[in-house]
């Protein structure tokens, strides 16, 4: 008997709630009402504390082509010190995701280069307005999409499209 | 078209039409938005809108876009205020319109790709024919 891709993905899914993992919410209609939702990451970014963790340094380096300087400034691609509010919106979104685990972060504005760094985040809640994004890596565990447990990130790329 | 903002030169090598860019972060789009905003404040016929302004002006964004004849318009962070009304309007504006958009465009919406490059002295928008 032939099996469709939809059925194959569905066979891998179980309901999950409350576990520590990457939680994807796609479409506003799927947002839970009991979890804070940060729609405008630029407005919320001042609440992120930059301490120079390995992940924060990686974001500054790989996305903005800069380097960590201190907890108030980074060195930009031209060698000038800038405040962290001059980081790109995508960098702000993923730094917010890394630091604020109790809220859903709007990642719709993130480019493919930012989404690639999700590989280094084990725990967080992400929102995308539609299914146009693609996660550029596969991760075989700890992924939930719209409240359903998936076998890996690749299922989001192929099934939620 | 060349617009100077302080010591920074903005060069827009684009014909009238709607433009989008590669789906990457940190390519300089919001930097361009800030420069265009500064140029607008100094009287240049260019306009840049972002999420906060659209929220402030609410449903009059279309009026704002169509109110004057601009030489260049940029819609920064368009994902946050995407609307069919705006998309229907942008093709009628008669100037280059750059949309910072990472989501999915409507099936029947056409746009051109453009590139942005910048250094300490200049930021340039152009179409890479190759």
């Amino acid at each position: 008997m032939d099996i469709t891709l939809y059925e194959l993905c569905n066979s891998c899914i179980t309901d999950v709630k409350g576990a520590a993992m990457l939680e994807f919410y796609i479409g506003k209609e799927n947002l839970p009402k009991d979890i804070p939702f940060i729609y405008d990451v630029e407005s919320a970014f001042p609440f992120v504390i930059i301490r120079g963790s390995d992940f924060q340094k990686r974001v500054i380096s790989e996305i903005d082509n800069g380097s960590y300087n201190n907890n108030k400034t980074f060195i930009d691609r031209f060698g000038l010190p800038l405040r962290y509010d001059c980081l790109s919106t995508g960098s702000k979104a993923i730094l917010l995701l890394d630091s604020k685990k109790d809220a859903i972060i709007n990642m719709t504005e993130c480019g493919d280069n930012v989404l690639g760094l999700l590989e280094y985040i084990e725990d967080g809640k992400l929102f995308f307005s539609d299914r146009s994004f693609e996660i550029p890596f596969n991760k075989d565990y700890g992924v939930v999409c719209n409240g359903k447990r998936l076998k890996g990130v690749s299922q989001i790329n192929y099934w939620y499209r | 078209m060349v617009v100077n903002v302080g010591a920074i030169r903005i060069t827009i090598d684009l014909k009238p039409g709607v433009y989008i860019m590669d789906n990457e972060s940190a390519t300089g789009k919001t930097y361009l938005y800030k420069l265009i905003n500064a140029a607008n404040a100094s009287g240049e016929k260019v306009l840049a809108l972002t999420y906060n302004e659209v929220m402030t002006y609410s449903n009059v964004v279309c009026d704002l876009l169509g109110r004057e004849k601009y030489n260049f318009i940029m819609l920064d962070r368009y994902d946050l205020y995407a609307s069919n009304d705006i998309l229907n309007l942008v093709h009628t504006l008669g100037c280059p319109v750059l949309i910072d958009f990472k989501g999915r465009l409507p099936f029947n919406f056409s746009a051109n790709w453009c590139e942005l490059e910048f250094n300490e002295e200049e930021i340039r928008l152009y179409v890479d024919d190759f």
Side-chain angles (χ1 to χ4, degrees):
Chain A
M1 185 181 69
D2 290 338
I3 185 166
T4 65
L5 180 62
Y6 178 88
E7 290 164 337
L8 181 67
C9 292
N10 247 346
S11 68
C12 304
I13 291 169
T14 53
D15 287 316
V16 162
K17 199 168 186 176
M21 57 185 69
L22 284 182
E23 294 178 38
F24 289 76
Y25 297 91
I26 303 172
K28 280 189 174 174
E29 67 279 8
N30 291 308
L31 282 170
K33 290 184 171 55
D34 57 343
I35 303 176
F37 173 44
I38 295 176
Y39 186 66
D40 181 5
V41 294
E42 291 275 355
S43 296
F45 183 72
F47 294 101
V48 174
I49 297 171
I50 305 290
R51 293 195 174 92
S53 70
D54 287 345
F55 182 74
Q56 290 174 337
K57 287 177 178 174
R58 183 186 288 270
V59 171
I60 295 165
S61 166
E62 292 191 16
I63 306 303
D64 278 79
N65 300 314
S67 60
Y68 174 79
N69 189 34
N70 56 43
N71 64 353
K72 292 190 172 55
T73 62
F74 69 103
I75 305 298
D76 79 354
R77 66 189 78 191
F78 302 120
L80 301 172
L82 292 177
R83 295 193 318 267
Y84 284 109
D85 62 359
C86 293
L87 286 170
S88 65
T89 305
S91 289
K92 290 174 183 173
I94 200 164
L95 290 172
L96 203 54
L97 179 73
D98 179 53
S99 69
K100 199 148 178 57
K101 307 293 186 188
D102 60 340
I104 300 168
I105 311 298
N106 186 1
M107 303 294 284
T108 304
E109 295 181 87
C110 294
D112 295 339
N113 48 347
V114 172
L115 298 184
L117 293 185
L118 289 175
E119 188 171 8
Y120 302 99
I121 294 184
E122 295 288 320
D123 184 17
K125 301 175 179 63
L126 312 83
F127 169 81
F128 291 88
S129 59
D130 59 38
R131 300 168 185 176
S132 59
F133 67 93
E134 185 157 349
I135 306 297
F137 61 87
N138 192 15
K139 192 168 186 170
D140 292 336
Y141 60 95
V143 178
V144 171
C145 191
N146 292 341
K148 304 282 187 182
R149 174 77 181 262
L150 301 184
K151 213 176 174 186
V153 167
S154 58
Q155 285 191 336
I156 294 176
N157 290 337
Y158 294 109
W159 186 46
Y160 284 94
R161 183 163 284 275
Chain B
M1 180 180 69
V2 175
V3 178
N4 291 302
V5 177
I8 310 293
R9 184 171 63 252
I10 308 169
T11 303
I12 299 167
D13 283 335
L14 300 176
K15 294 173 182 171
V18 179
Y19 295 86
I20 55 175
M21 293 173 60
D22 274 345
N23 194 6
E24 294 278 310
S25 291
T27 54
K29 296 182 293 293
T30 298
Y31 176 53
L32 176 66
Y33 158 78
K34 289 175 181 174
L35 290 173
I36 294 295
N37 220 6
N40 174 279
S42 65
E44 296 286 349
K45 291 287 187 186
V46 293
L47 178 70
L49 293 174
T50 192
Y51 175 63
N52 294 341
E53 284 134 5
V54 174
M55 293 308 288
T56 303
Y57 293 120
S58 187
N59 58 353
V60 299
V61 168
C62 290
D63 290 343
L64 185 71
L65 288 172
R67 188 186 301 165
E68 274 190 65
K69 176 81 177 158
Y70 293 102
N71 295 323
F72 175 71
I73 293 172
M74 177 182 186
L75 302 178
D76 192 34
R77 308 184 70 200
Y78 175 76
D79 293 283
L80 298 189
Y81 53 90
S83 86
N84 286 334
D85 288 345
I86 293 177
L87 287 186
N88 289 337
L89 183 67
V90 290
H91 277 295
T92 69
L93 295 174
C95 68
V97 181
L98 176 63
I99 303 179
D100 168 23
F101 190 44
K102 304 229 172 36
R104 180 180 289 169
L105 285 166
F107 179 69
N108 57 354
F109 185 82
S110 62
N112 308 294
W113 291 100
C114 75
E115 307 285 331
L116 188 156
E117 64 181 20
F118 65 101
N119 56 36
E120 293 157 287
E121 297 168 350
E122 181 182 24
I123 185 163
R124 178 170 169 250
L125 269 173
Y126 63 100
V127 174
D128 187 355
D129 292 327
F130 302 99

